[in-house]
Amino acid sequence: MPSNPAAQGKSPMGDPVQVIADSPLMRAVDRSTLDGLSPDLDWVELGAQEALFLDGQHGDALYFVASGRLEILQATREQGSATDDDAEVVTTLAAGDAVGEMGALTGRQGSAAIRCIFPARLVRLAKERLDRYLAANPDANEKLQAIFAPRFHRLELAQVLGNMFGDLSDDILADIEQRLTWRHVRREKTLIGKGEVSDRLFVLVSGRLHEIATDDLGGKKVADEIVQGGTVGESGVFTDDAQTTTVVAARDSALLEFSRQDFLEMAEKYPKLSQWMMRLLSLKLRGVFRKDSLRIICRNIVLVPITRDIDLGEFAEEFSGTLSQHQEAFLVTGEMIDTFLGVPGICQAAEGTPEDARILAWINQQETDLHYMVCPVDYGLTNWTKRCIRQADEIILVGTARETPKLTATETQLLRDEETRGARLQKILVLIHPPDTSQPEGTLRWLSERSVDRHFHARPGNHSDLERIVRHVSGRELGLVLSGGGYRGFAHVGVIRALRESGLAIDFIAGVSFGSIIAGAYSYSEELDQTIDSLKSLVKGMLSDYTIPFISLIRGRRFDNCLQTLFGETNIEDLWIPYFCVSSNLTRAETVIHQTGSLWRAARASSTLPGLVSPVVMNGDLLYDGCLLNNLPVDRMREEIQAGSLIAVDVVPPVDFDIRAPNLESPSGWQIAWNRINPFTNRLSMPGIISIVHRAGALGSISNRQQLIDEDIADLYLRPPVGQFDILDVTVADEAMEIGYTYSLPRLRSWTEQER
């Protein structure tokens, strides 16, 4: 700001409107339009070496130089401020030049300082006055936006090219600018189709692109994500190869388009550009190109209300505030847009209008230094809702659990867009429950109506519920997988206690066989110790209801009663903490993942050993113990926890059974029984039938387990030393829990320190 505010005011010494009219920036605007600005203009006078404004200040006005000379100072990369004595002079301003238009229109911070060389007089148009005038004069608004649009483009161009290969001089920037064409691609539209040979190179300036791969069966998936500074079409430009994927706009996107000839000429003329392009091609050809090799743009999270009564504003503030505790997040509402741009209702501007361009320019500026932008939208399909969804990277559907779960108009439109584009946005569902809710219910009604990647339950003011959602969104969640292993699985409880003591919150838990019961107990109730005490009492005699061995030795009714008493009629989708367990479909020879339906029935299926306990019959198939096919489903958990951490706990030793016996041929039960009661013979040590059946059933998954470990799917692999315990000896429960705790605690603390 001028250091001499007293010098501001109306001056009889000149016509401020004429100064604006003589500016090259405004010559295309008719005089009648400019005359309307007259009441809002001020004169500013500066002395030599006086600053107009400093770097880092928000632009608060548009200035036109009437006389004198100023210089724009830019800090070098080694400097912290453009006010340093040796700051670089970027350019000078003389009569007729304008400055500050970007800040005046978007409120963006300046990255340069402006200092007066010789005494100067300027005409000042304050941002709030310009906003008021444009809001009242739509025709003038459209004309001025058309004039300023190229300046927006030039600023974006300088920024993205600077990120690619360093600072550019005005001459180089002007040369590149003459050779390029700006290309704007709407969300869901195709830029290049699979099989096309492009003679154009595209550089992404803003937005996001997806490369969609199609398999032999016509299935589509996102093979890669292109972010700011990324390129498309280089295979055609440099090698004449056809495009192997279809490139579509995941968000409304702006790109620089170069012809093959122009780009090759520039690459030859400017070595930095050539080096950058060769490095990029080398990475792609070696198959090691990743989106994090470029600057990742801000991730836009859009909050969509799916019930009319939801207080989305309160949830948005809590969510963005919690997210900001870990990485910088910015809450953007329609009302905030109106305030920053100074035009009431501008957030509802229609797509393609000058006001829409102004909003997008403002949003793009805010994204520059942010990790996340959180945008709550309207309940209906308003222009604000549509604009935010077009720019969304992830959708969070938020609704009140007690309301009707029918799809809203916004969700229906989202589905149509996904069908058109052939790719899905990441979507999660958050159901808000009253603060005193003990257990959610009825979630399946919501899930059956919509396709979401994950769902969460939350209570207002409950910090742990909100933290779980934030960790998922920010890729910091923790998944825990518990293996089978009979009552050795009580060691899992000790591991969970060690996790708690280490300050680690479990965001997703899964289990197999007895591990499915322990995992279910944790997910079912925050009072884990009380639930485990009940479990220890219930499992005594659980497998003693023998029956005629037609399909099994044990009927399993007492097993059913135990699990029903423990979990009641709770469904998996109604649990506070996400959970799944694994069973084996003996009929179809395939793994079954239980993520919905009755919790106790799923745990029963996952824990049913063939021949020992009667099977669970579901949809005409026989379901048995998950350990038959996958006793440690870390691969399945990794599909859920893609960016977070995963801990696997295995209580099945690689070598089992303490066998002390001579070579025996066809040993009989009578022989072993006699050995045990005869005091004059050497003792034989042989496993019982149940242990043998259990070990035999798990052999396949045990042998595959080492491959999963070698592939480092889990971030931490724990194997508490409990192999000495019999799998059906419930008396070892307390000792196994203590071993699980003492074994895991130092390893978890060490791992946590390394992760930090």
Side-chain angles (χ1 to χ4, degrees):
M1 290 295 298
S3 58
N4 183 16
Q8 298 181 41
K10 296 290 182 181
S11 170
M13 299 176 62
D15 179 5
V17 176
Q18 188 60 49
V19 173
I20 296 177
D22 291 340
S23 170
L25 177 65
M26 306 294 279
R27 282 175 185 167
V29 182
D30 58 84
R31 179 67 188 235
S32 61
T33 298
L34 297 179
D35 284 337
L37 295 170
S38 181
D40 298 316
L41 301 177
D42 295 322
W43 282 98
V44 174
E45 297 185 10
L46 295 175
Q49 301 303 311
E50 194 172 359
L52 179 63
F53 51 75
L54 305 177
D55 64 315
Q57 289 183 332
H58 280 285
D60 66 342
L62 175 58
Y63 296 89
F64 297 87
V65 181
S67 63
R69 183 166 295 185
L70 302 94
E71 58 187 6
I72 298 179
L73 305 175
Q74 179 73 57
T76 63
R77 293 185 182 274
E78 291 75 22
Q79 295 169 327
S81 172
T83 57
D84 295 339
D85 292 337
D86 56 349
E88 179 183 353
V89 177
V90 178
T91 189
T92 59
L93 302 174
D97 289 331
V99 67
E101 68 272 20
M102 295 300 104
L105 289 172
T106 67
R108 71 198 312 166
Q109 283 186 328
S111 58
I114 298 181
R115 183 174 62 194
C116 189
I117 305 174
F118 302 114
R121 298 173 67 248
L122 304 94
V123 174
R124 178 178 182 269
L125 176 58
K127 178 182 182 303
E128 65 272 14
R129 295 181 180 180
L130 176 61
D131 289 337
R132 186 167 59 247
Y133 176 76
L134 294 180
N137 298 273
D139 291 341
N141 184 14
E142 186 172 350
K143 292 175 183 178
L144 291 179
Q145 293 290 352
I147 291 172
F148 291 139
R151 303 288 284 257
F152 281 123
H153 286 327
R154 186 178 179 85
L155 196 65
E156 290 178 307
L157 174 65
Q159 178 176 313
V160 72
L161 293 182
N163 289 334
M164 287 161 57
F165 45 89
D167 295 329
L168 299 172
S169 68
D170 280 349
D171 291 341
I172 295 176
L173 189 60
D175 185 21
I176 295 176
E177 198 170 18
Q178 288 177 359
R179 297 173 182 265
L180 66 83
T181 300
W182 281 91
R183 180 79 172 270
H184 294 271
V185 185
R186 279 197 57 188
R187 184 191 187 96
E188 304 150 12
K189 297 301 182 182
T190 298
L191 179 65
I192 301 178
K194 180 180 179 181
E196 291 184 25
V197 178
S198 174
D199 63 350
R200 302 273 154 175
L201 180 75
F202 300 93
V203 180
L204 183 64
V205 174
S206 64
R208 190 166 299 190
L209 305 175
H210 281 166
E211 291 192 20
I212 308 296
T214 306
D215 58 30
D216 295 336
L217 299 177
K220 297 180 180 180
K221 68 174 183 178
V222 177
D224 201 359
E225 190 172 56
I226 301 170
V227 299
Q228 187 185 69
T231 60
V232 179
E234 65 278 351
S235 58
V237 168
F238 290 97
T239 65
D240 287 326
D241 289 339
Q243 182 73 24
T244 58
T245 57
T246 298
V247 182
V248 300
R251 291 163 45 173
D252 287 1
S253 301
L255 303 100
L256 310 179
E257 179 182 329
F258 298 94
S259 70
R260 173 188 287 156
Q261 179 179 348
D262 281 336
F263 191 85
L264 294 179
E265 288 179 0
M266 286 191 301
E268 183 177 354
K269 188 174 182 180
Y270 305 117
K272 286 185 178 180
L273 175 59
S274 178
Q275 292 167 10
W276 174 82
M277 195 68 231
M278 291 305 102
R279 175 179 173 273
L280 186 62
L281 284 173
S282 175
L283 290 171
K284 288 191 173 183
L285 290 172
R286 285 158 45 199
V288 297
F289 181 76
R290 294 290 184 270
K291 62 184 178 182
D292 56 6
S293 64
L294 299 167
R295 190 183 73 82
I296 301 300
I297 58 178
C298 174
R299 189 165 186 83
N300 287 343
I301 301 171
V302 176
L303 309 182
V304 178
I306 57 174
T307 57
R308 290 185 180 276
D309 66 334
I310 188 69
D311 188 348
L312 192 62
E314 179 181 354
F315 176 83
E317 289 183 5
E318 291 182 1
F319 174 78
S320 61
T322 305
L323 190 59
S324 293
Q325 294 173 10
H326 307 285
Q327 291 179 308
E328 192 171 4
F330 186 34
L331 177 63
V332 180
T333 65
E335 293 78 7
M336 183 184 297
I337 295 285
D338 292 351
T339 300
F340 270 105
L341 298 184
V343 182
I346 193 175
C347 71
Q348 298 294 352
E351 180 185 2
T353 62
E355 292 85 354
D356 182 49
R358 188 175 174 190
I359 293 170
L360 292 178
W362 184 87
I363 290 176
N364 285 339
Q365 170 62 18
Q366 309 314 312
E367 289 183 345
T368 303
D369 300 315
L370 296 171
H371 285 95
Y372 299 99
M373 185 173 286
V374 179
C375 303
V377 300
D378 305 320
Y379 178 77
L381 264 176
T382 63
N383 285 331
W384 170 245
T385 298
K386 293 176 183 177
R387 178 182 297 105
C388 290
I389 289 177
R390 290 199 309 271
Q391 301 299 116
D393 297 306
E394 183 164 3
I395 300 289
I396 300 182
L397 307 173
V398 188
T400 304
R402 62 173 177 265
E403 293 300 312
T404 304
K406 292 296 184 182
L407 287 177
T408 63
T410 302
E411 292 179 282
T412 301
Q413 186 61 49
L414 275 172
L415 291 174
R416 290 174 185 156
D417 293 344
E418 289 172 352
E419 290 175 0
T420 302
R421 186 160 52 101
R424 293 181 61 248
L425 268 175
Q426 181 84 5
K427 294 199 297 289
I428 67 174
L429 170 66
V430 175
L431 294 176
I432 306 298
H433 301 265
D436 59 350
T437 302
S438 59
Q439 191 70 57
E441 57 184 27
T443 308
L444 192 59
R445 298 179 304 133
W446 294 87
L447 297 179
S448 61
E449 289 283 339
R450 49 188 53 80
S451 175
V452 295
D453 299 279
R454 185 78 70 81
H455 73 275
F456 292 91
H457 300 284
R459 291 156 288 192
N462 189 301
H463 190 66
S464 63
D465 291 347
L466 197 60
E467 277 279 6
R468 190 175 303 117
I469 301 169
V470 166
R471 285 192 294 270
H472 169 72
V473 168
S474 59
R476 298 181 301 104
E477 58 187 337
L478 174 65
L480 180 65
V481 179
L482 309 179
S483 77
Y487 295 153
R488 295 167 176 168
F490 276 107
H492 294 316
V493 180
V495 176
I496 292 173
R497 289 172 178 165
L499 279 163
R500 285 176 163 179
E501 193 167 318
S502 301
L504 296 171
I506 301 169
D507 297 302
F508 206 129
I509 191 166
V512 179
S513 198
F514 197 73
S516 72
I517 299 175
I518 299 298
Y522 178 80
S523 187
Y524 174 73
S525 173
E526 296 176 349
E527 302 297 330
L528 179 64
D529 293 342
Q530 181 178 335
T531 306
I532 294 302
D533 287 342
S534 299
L535 177 61
K536 287 191 295 184
S537 175
L538 290 168
V539 296
K540 294 177 181 178
M542 182 175 68
L543 301 178
S544 60
D545 54 339
Y546 293 96
T547 186
I548 298 174
F550 185 71
I551 57 173
S552 63
L553 295 175
I554 297 169
R555 179 186 178 190
R557 184 56 190 160
R558 292 182 182 176
F559 194 2
D560 295 348
N561 291 337
C562 166
L563 296 178
Q564 283 180 291
T565 301
L566 193 67
F567 299 133
E569 294 303 321
T570 299
N571 285 335
I572 295 172
E573 66 273 11
D574 291 328
L575 296 170
W576 291 111
I577 298 175
Y579 162 95
F580 74 81
C581 66
V582 174
S583 68
S584 301
N585 188 321
L586 203 66
T587 308
R588 303 179 186 275
E590 61 187 23
T591 299
V592 178
I593 307 297
H594 300 270
Q595 282 189 277
T596 59
S598 169
L599 174 59
W600 81 261
R601 286 187 176 86
R604 167 72 156 82
S606 182
S607 310
T608 299
L609 197 63
L612 177 62
V613 185
S614 59
V616 170
V617 180
M618 189 175 295
N619 300 322
D621 295 332
L622 301 182
L623 303 188
Y624 280 103
D625 202 311
C627 73
L628 300 178
L629 295 177
N630 193 346
N631 196 44
L632 197 65
V634 291
D635 50 346
R636 179 62 184 81
M637 179 61 90
R638 180 52 76 190
E639 295 176 13
E640 297 285 349
I641 308 290
Q642 295 183 10
S645 300
L646 197 161
I647 297 176
V649 186
D650 193 356
V651 296
V652 176
V655 178
D656 209 352
F657 302 148
D658 178 22
I659 300 176
R660 296 188 301 274
N663 293 333
L664 297 176
E665 294 182 2
S666 304
S668 71
W670 293 110
Q671 183 180 3
I672 295 175
W674 171 249
N675 176 268
R676 291 181 178 177
I677 63 175
N678 185 353
F680 303 105
T681 186
N682 292 329
R683 290 293 181 196
L684 299 177
S685 177
M686 292 286 287
I689 184 175
I690 294 177
S691 296
I692 291 175
V693 170
H694 183 275
R695 183 71 176 182
L699 278 181
S701 61
I702 291 173
S703 65
N704 290 333
R705 176 183 58 193
Q706 190 58 48
Q707 179 181 351
L708 297 176
I709 296 171
D710 293 341
E711 292 175 353
D712 290 328
I713 297 177
D715 298 283
L716 180 63
Y717 175 76
L718 301 173
R719 193 172 69 202
V722 290
Q724 71 275 23
F725 299 138
D726 186 272
I727 62 171
L728 290 183
D729 184 1
V730 71
T731 64
V732 307
D734 291 334
E735 189 176 354
M737 285 190 284
E738 183 62 26
I739 290 174
Y741 173 79
T742 56
Y743 167 85
S744 301
L745 186 60
R747 289 166 174 80
L748 287 168
R749 285 177 172 171
S750 175
W751 178 74
T752 302
E753 287 298 320
Q754 293 175 2
E755 289 297 299
R756 289 176 183 169

